[in-house]
Amino acid sequence: MVKNSLIFISQENKKKNTGSVEFQIVSFTNKIRRLTPHFELHKKDYSSQRGLRKILEKRRRLLSYLATKNRLRYKKLISQLDIRESKPR
């Protein structure tokens, strides 16, 4: 999977599972991937950088929650999104 591509969820799954941990992580990942090229053009956009850091932290917390609750779902989602495994804290 190309890292810059967005992950799409089918419409029927989107309506049913918007509160699931996996859906939230996927939507945060899409937001992160949309914001990243913005910072190549606008290096001094500090307010958006702050928002990006908040999104990254929310995603990190959700990933650590999923890793403790269900390791198999965590591994599957990490490989699907093509992101690195988080460091244990």
Side-chain angles (χ1 to χ4, degrees):
M1 173 188 270
V2 178
K3 207 165 198 164
N4 291 333
S5 67
L6 299 178
I7 293 91
F8 296 102
I9 299 175
S10 67
Q11 242 358 59
E12 59 192 46
N13 285 343
K14 189 175 182 180
K15 290 179 184 175
K16 285 192 281 188
N17 297 327
T18 56
S20 71
V21 176
E22 287 94 346
F23 180 85
Q24 291 180 40
I25 292 171
V26 168
S27 65
F28 286 144
T29 303
N30 285 338
K31 285 181 186 179
I32 292 165
R33 289 184 179 160
R34 271 194 315 249
L35 278 173
T36 304
H38 169 78
F39 294 120
E40 292 173 4
L41 293 174
H42 309 284
K43 293 182 183 359
K44 295 189 177 186
D45 188 0
Y46 299 118
S47 60
S48 293
Q49 287 177 10
R50 180 174 183 255
L52 176 65
R53 283 193 300 269
K54 289 175 93 172
I55 292 170
L56 284 168
E57 183 61 24
K58 283 182 186 179
R59 185 181 74 170
R60 188 193 64 78
R61 277 182 277 160
L62 284 171
L63 283 169
S64 67
Y65 168 79
L66 187 61
T68 57
K69 290 295 180 183
N70 192 335
R71 194 72 179 172
L72 292 175
R73 284 175 33 199
Y74 170 75
K75 290 285 190 183
K76 182 179 173 185
L77 187 64
I78 291 291
S79 64
Q80 178 187 359
L81 294 178
D82 193 29
I83 55 178
R84 288 181 289 181
E85 192 168 337
S86 61
K87 299 176 191 173
R89 288 187 174 221

